[in-house]
Amino acid sequence: MARILFRESAERVPLLGNLGWWLEARMLALFWYWVTRTDVERASRRGYRLFHWLGPRLRKNHHVLSNLQVAFADMSAQRRLTLAKQVWGNFGAVLAEYPFLPELVRMGPGSRTDISVSEASSRIIRNRQPAVYVTAHSGNWEIGTFIMTSLKIPVTTVYSPQSNPFVDRMLQSFRETPGLKFIPAKNAMRQLVRELREGRSVGMLPDQRNDGGDPVPYFGVKAPTITSPAWLAVTMNCPLIPVEVERIGEARFRAVFHDPVDSFAEITDKKQRVLAITGELNTCFESWIRKHPQHWHCTKRRWPSGVPSGVSFS
């Protein structure tokens, strides 16, 4: 929040930028203090209601509406406005659920996350075969790797550090759990190859825009796309497993480990094979988002063309 208020001034006065970072972190800490005064369901509800109201008033709402227009071109403008509020509400719920992450994935009676594993992926998990696990920014994307550790999968997850170092440390403190390693996304490929060679699996969230990525169709429109999961799967000859995290209630989820994505082994050119796998993965993500568009975290611009013409923000 403070980053939005101080952004332009911070570019001219670094000290003001640091102050903005500190204020943003304090505001976020206050938010988490507020939501943790109650149980996880009420906390999730509080976060949802706050951002359902606040999100449409933020500048980033233009990105949400732009993304929704590209993905759901046949949807009415009024429906997209309503959907945008729900998208922000889900983001608020995810934010409120950070302090409760261990509770959300705890196995046993009363578990808040139901887990479904396909037969093919079950064999991979039982054999502790190194694999590349991918999920999308939908539902609560943070719990995917936590579920893997609950299934005793040693996993190294790629993450993008926050520009605000105070917020980044706070978020990482919630993510820390035994058996789970995190590495920054920048220049991560060599480390990921080492992790797979050492018998660990890799967790990635490759559904958002990467300006250096390859143009791959996404909702029928080419978008710069991260191809590194497919590249790792081809290079290391390991399975690529999509993990769908659905929100099925207040602080309740269903995690589905789907069959590995087709390896397209018949394609001999490595570059084309990687693109074919990435296209299949994008199609998989699309199907999840179409089922629950209100749970899609699309506050960042996904397509490079900016806000399409004809979008109404009123």
Side-chain angles (χ1 to χ4, degrees), residues 116-231:
S116 173
V117 185
S118 76
E119 184 176 345
S121 291
S122 181
R123 288 195 299 271
I124 293 167
I125 293 171
R126 285 199 307 270
N127 295 332
R128 297 294 181 263
Q129 180 181 349
V132 179
Y133 293 89
V134 292
T135 192
H137 287 82
S138 185
N140 184 333
W141 51 94
E142 288 287 350
I143 70 175
T145 47
F146 281 81
I147 294 166
M148 293 176 209
T149 60
S150 297
L151 295 174
K152 309 302 181 186
I153 302 170
V155 61
T156 299
T157 296
V158 181
Y159 82 106
S160 297
Q162 298 290 311
S163 59
N164 182 334
F166 304 112
V167 169
D168 190 62
R169 285 195 292 269
M170 293 164 70
L171 290 175
Q172 286 303 103
S173 70
F174 291 133
R175 290 168 173 156
E176 290 176 357
T177 191
L180 179 58
K181 290 172 59 176
F182 286 91
I183 62 172
K186 188 176 182 179
N187 301 322
M189 294 305 290
R190 288 187 180 180
Q191 180 63 32
L192 295 178
V193 168
R194 284 195 292 267
E195 297 293 311
L196 288 166
R197 284 176 176 164
E198 292 172 3
R200 293 181 65 85
S201 290
V202 167
M204 305 181 79
L205 276 156
D207 62 310
Q208 294 192 330
R209 190 183 88 256
N210 179 357
D211 290 330
D214 291 279
V216 179
Y218 197 46
F219 288 92
V221 180
K222 287 187 177 180
T225 302
I226 298 169
T227 59
S228 49
W231 185 90

Side-chain angles (χ1 to χ4, degrees), residues 15-46:
L15 180 61
L16 189 55
N18 291 335
L19 175 61
W21 278 344
W22 184 85
L23 288 174
E24 183 182 48
R26 291 305 91 202
M27 292 168 69
L28 193 53
L30 182 61
F31 169 79
W32 279 324
Y33 176 82
W34 174 56
V35 299
T36 54
R37 297 307 91 191
T38 184
D39 59 70
V40 62
E41 286 189 8
R42 290 189 179 91
S44 182
R45 191 182 310 142
R46 285 179 175 183

Side-chain angles (χ1 to χ4, degrees), residues 5 41 43 68 108 115 144 152 154 169 268 277:
L5 296 174
E41 286 189 8
L68 291 176
I115 299 176
K152 309 302 181 186
R169 285 195 292 269
T268 56
I277 295 171

Side-chain angles (χ1 to χ4, degrees), residues 206 216-218 225 277-287 302:
V216 179
Y218 197 46
T225 302
I277 295 171
T278 303
E280 189 72 12
L281 193 57
N282 272 3
T283 299
C284 182
F285 293 157
E286 284 178 35
S287 68
R302 182 62 182 91

Side-chain angles (χ1 to χ4, degrees), residues 101 103-108 110-116 143 147 244-246 248 251-256:
L101 284 174
E103 181 179 344
L104 293 178
V105 299
R106 189 176 298 125
M107 300 295 102
S111 173
R112 293 191 167 275
T113 301
D114 300 328
I115 299 176
S116 173
I143 70 175
I147 294 166
E244 180 180 8
V245 179
E246 295 181 273
I248 58 176
R252 293 194 61 86
F253 304 91
R254 179 186 299 113
V256 181

Side-chain angles (χ1 to χ4, degrees), residues 219-293:
F219 288 92
V221 180
K222 287 187 177 180
T225 302
I226 298 169
T227 59
S228 49
W231 185 90
L232 281 171
V234 171
T235 302
M236 302 302 295
N237 191 29
C238 64
L240 176 60
I241 300 176
V243 182
E244 180 180 8
V245 179
E246 295 181 273
R247 184 180 294 276
I248 58 176
E250 288 181 337
R252 293 194 61 86
F253 304 91
R254 179 186 299 113
V256 181
F257 287 70
H258 292 278
D259 284 341
V261 173
D262 190 333
S263 65
F264 290 90
E266 71 278 6
I267 300 178
T268 56
D269 182 85
K270 183 177 181 179
K271 175 69 171 178
Q272 293 306 312
R273 188 180 174 192
V274 166
L275 289 175
I277 295 171
T278 303
E280 189 72 12
L281 193 57
N282 272 3
T283 299
C284 182
F285 293 157
E286 284 178 35
S287 68
W288 303 352
I289 293 167
R290 290 187 189 280
K291 278 194 300 183
H292 304 291

